[in-house]
């Protein structure tokens, strides 16, 4: 037996087998953790298979990176996506607009069905986000960044005003969480998935807020500020989920309420500060443009 060839075949299997291994390992791992139990034979097999799948993909990683770099440089559509900031922002706005609108309507329907202001407040929050994105995408669809600076500043300032109104809905969410002990309860796997999504969304939002400042487009900056606000509310929802799922045996209900209240208050203040900043900066730059036009 040629051990070298065997080891190579195990560590570098065909890409088809590697792709097939991913869903099989994921299903077995989740199934053993949720339904079967972590000490069963199937669970042990799922752990070994998951570790093996991760290992072979790690060995394949350099090749995949080179392939993606080559594909990015040679494919004209990928190059266009990479080079066209306006296209990326429009795609992001359209996608998040649809998501916020549908999710907000769903929450409003839940409020109507269950007769509770809890879902009404969540629905109002996401509807506000959808309205803000709608006004932004109407502008970015027609004009390039900086082409209509005065209009961009007006929309930028308007988004700041909507942020203040939106904070009322956020205050209701925090109130229901803390005072009426309305929290989110999910399965452990769901909570972990929510954590992964929330931290990814928050990290991406912070990076984009800093990154898109260089384009000197108030509309672009406003769109990323909206994403940051949505990510912050996801952090609040995640904290509630984690405390409900993992914190029952480690802390009292009063401690959980204090933690939710502190986090919610900090997020609310941050959104208010963002709104005031957008209003003040937008108003100041509009005055500068007006002064330049009068002197020009």
């Amino acid at each position: 037996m040629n051990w070298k060839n065997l080891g190579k075949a195990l560590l570098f299997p065909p890409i088809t087998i590697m792709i097939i291994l991913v869903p099989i390992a994921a299903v077995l791992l989740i199934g053993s953790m949720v339904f079967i139990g972590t000490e069963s034979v199937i669970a042990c097999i799922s752990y070994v298979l998951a570790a093996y799948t991760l290992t072979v993909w790690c060995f394949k990683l350099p090749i995949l990176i080179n392939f993606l770099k080559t594909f990015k440089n040679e494919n004209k559509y990928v190059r266009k996506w990479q080079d066209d900031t306006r296209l990326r922002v429009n795609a992001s706005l359209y996608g998040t607009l649809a998501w916020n609108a549908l999710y907000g309507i769903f929450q409003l329907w839940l409020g109507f069905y269950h007769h509770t202001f809890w879902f009404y407040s969540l629905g109002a929050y996401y509807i506000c986000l959808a309205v803000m994105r709608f006004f932004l995408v109407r502008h970015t669809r027609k004009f390039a960044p900086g082409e209509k600076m005065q209009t961009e500043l007006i929309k930028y300032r308007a988004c700041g005003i909507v942020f203040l109104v939106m904070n009322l809905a956020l205050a209701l969410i925090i109130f229901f969480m803390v005072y009426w002990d309305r929290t989110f309860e999910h399965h452990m796997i769901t909570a972990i998935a929510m954590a992964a999504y929330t931290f990814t969304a928050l990290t991406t939002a912070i990076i984009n807020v800093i990154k898109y400042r260089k384009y000197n487009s108030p509309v672009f900056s406003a769109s990323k500020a909206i994403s940051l606000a949505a990510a912050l509310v996801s952090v609040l929802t995640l904290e509630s989920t984690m405390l409900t799922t993992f914190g029952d045996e480690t802390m009292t209900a009063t401690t959980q309420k204090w933690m939710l209240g502190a986090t919610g208050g900090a997020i609310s203040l941050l959104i208010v500060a963002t709104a005031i900043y957008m209003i003040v900066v937008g108003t100041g730059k509009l005055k500068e443009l007006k002064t330049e036009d009068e002197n020009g």
Side-chain angles (χ1 to χ4, degrees), residues 101-111 119 123:
L102 291 174
Y103 191 72
I105 292 171
F106 175 67
Q107 293 296 329
L108 290 177
W109 177 82
L110 287 177
F119 292 113

Side-chain angles (χ1 to χ4, degrees), residues 66-236:
N66 291 331
F67 170 78
L68 291 175
K69 286 182 178 179
T70 303
F71 181 77
K72 183 184 71 172
N73 294 330
E74 294 181 356
N75 189 283
K76 64 178 182 179
Y77 299 106
V78 176
R79 289 203 310 270
K80 180 175 177 58
W81 175 264
Q82 185 72 23
D83 299 335
D84 194 338
T85 305
R86 182 183 172 191
L87 175 63
R88 296 200 306 272
V89 172
N90 281 339
S92 174
L93 283 173
Y94 275 116
T96 50
L97 169 61
W99 165 254
N100 289 155
L102 291 174
Y103 191 72
I105 292 171
F106 175 67
Q107 293 296 329
L108 290 177
W109 177 82
L110 287 177
F112 176 78
Y113 183 80
H114 294 287
H115 304 289
T116 171
F117 283 102
W118 166 251
F119 292 113
Y120 284 135
S121 59
L122 280 176
Y125 182 84
Y126 284 99
I127 289 295
C128 285
L129 290 180
V131 170
M132 294 168 72
R133 295 186 192 277
F134 173 74
F135 282 109
L136 294 180
V137 79
R138 286 185 62 189
H139 180 86
T140 57
R141 182 170 55 87
K142 297 178 181 179
F143 305 104
E147 184 178 349
K148 296 284 185 178
M149 183 58 71
Q150 184 175 5
T151 305
E152 286 198 36
L153 287 171
I154 292 174
K155 292 182 180 293
Y156 181 77
R157 183 176 61 180
C159 284
I161 296 172
V162 176
F163 264 134
L164 289 178
V165 177
M166 191 173 64
N167 197 60
L168 296 176
L170 180 60
L172 281 175
I173 295 173
I174 298 170
F175 174 78
F176 285 126
M177 275 186 173
V178 177
Y179 187 76
W180 284 356
D181 197 25
R182 294 301 301 268
T183 56
F184 302 87
E185 185 173 358
H186 299 283
H187 191 274
M188 180 179 65
I189 301 298
T190 305
I192 294 173
M194 288 177 61
Y197 166 78
T198 300
F199 287 123
T200 302
L202 181 61
T203 302
T204 303
I206 293 174
I207 292 173
N208 283 337
V209 166
I210 299 172
K211 178 181 176 181
Y212 279 80
R213 287 174 60 90
K214 66 181 181 181
Y215 295 107
N216 193 29
S217 173
V219 167
F220 283 8
S221 297
S223 69
K224 300 311 169 185
I226 295 172
S227 298
L228 180 59
L232 288 173
V233 173
S234 295
V235 170
L236 182 62

Side-chain angles (χ1 to χ4, degrees), residues 238-249:
L238 175 65
E239 181 181 8
S240 173
T241 299
M242 289 298 183
L243 289 175
T244 304
T245 306
F246 301 107
D248 291 341
E249 299 179 356

